[in-house]
Amino acid sequence: MARIIGGIATTHVPSIGKAIADGKQNDPYWKPFFSGFDYVHRWLAREKPDVAVVFYNDHGLNFFLDKLPTFAVGAAAEYRNEDEGWGIPVSRAVAGDPALSWHLINTLVEDEFDITMCQEMLVDHAVTIPLALMWPGQNWPVKIVPVAINTVQHPLPSMARCFNLGRSIARGLESYRPDLKVLVIGTGGLSHQLDGERAGFINKDFDRLCMDKLAADPEDLTQFSIPELVELSGAQGVEFLNWMAMRGALSGKVTEAHRNYHVPISNTAAATMVFDNEPSVRRKAA
Ligand code: DHB
Ligand code: FE
């Protein structure tokens, strides 16, 4: 049976891709951020996930404002990246797991999530940067199921809705027969605003509250409405919705294993967290 081994949340600022391409990981500006991944690398080397469900937001590479699904799930054998104009190298394609994708799509629709299913899907920096951070060298040993959440064009789904989306994904994983170790990933955030009068806005207190609540009491965070989330975390800080979905997908006993918080990377409060997920009901060995 598929087993959810844990969750990783990380920012996805595109300039990280340029820093990697230029080998700047040890520069004074970048080191406090990249060194936060030493633990992640050890954790991944030990846990060896087979697949990753990636909750992220597309920034206009695959979906544009003319047609923007609230939730979209990839069901492709591979996902290509393309040049988004950030001046970072185009990544290699990421392998998909169509059988798992269709299983999760079935569960989501059963659970009344009216998702868009994508047999072709480009993935942008919100997928490729986190993978490059987790597995340097582009030797990505996992297949992915990308789940895109609209954090771009209002109205956005609520914090509770995204948390429950993760819950439904967990239910789907728990009924998937192949013996897979599954990692769930949430990308983006934390607080940032890229444009308008509040460009450069960062809110360390709110970021800390979100990180503190995430392990122990994530449902408490559903008290924040989308307008409140914009106010407290910035227009693009709403990418935290991807973190809520990731946390919803951790269905067992969850503990925070690691956290790194560094301000700023580009315009963003850059955070990385790792959660262990111990299944609540241990299944008997076959
Ligand atoms: C930045 C942050 C993002 O989340 C993004 O998608 C693009 C740019 C930034 O801080 O530069
Ligand atoms: Fe973003």
Side-chain angles (χ1 to χ4, degrees), residues 11-14 57 59 86 124-126 151 187-189 192 194 236 239 242 268:
T11 186
H12 59 223
V13 175
N57 57 298
H59 299 69
W86 294 105
D124 74 0
H125 66 273
T151 71
T187 90
H192 64 301
L194 300 178
Q236 281 73 40
E239 290 176 344
N242 302 321
T268 296

Side-chain angles (χ1 to χ4, degrees), residues 56-91:
Y56 74 108
N57 57 298
D58 182 85
H59 299 69
L61 181 69
N62 191 75
F63 303 114
F64 202 62
L65 301 180
D66 58 337
K67 298 180 198 74
L68 192 38
T70 300
F71 301 121
V73 182
E78 73 164 23
Y79 302 94
R80 281 189 310 103
N81 177 224
E82 271 182 10
D83 186 5
E84 298 173 64
W86 294 105
I88 59 178
V90 172
S91 294

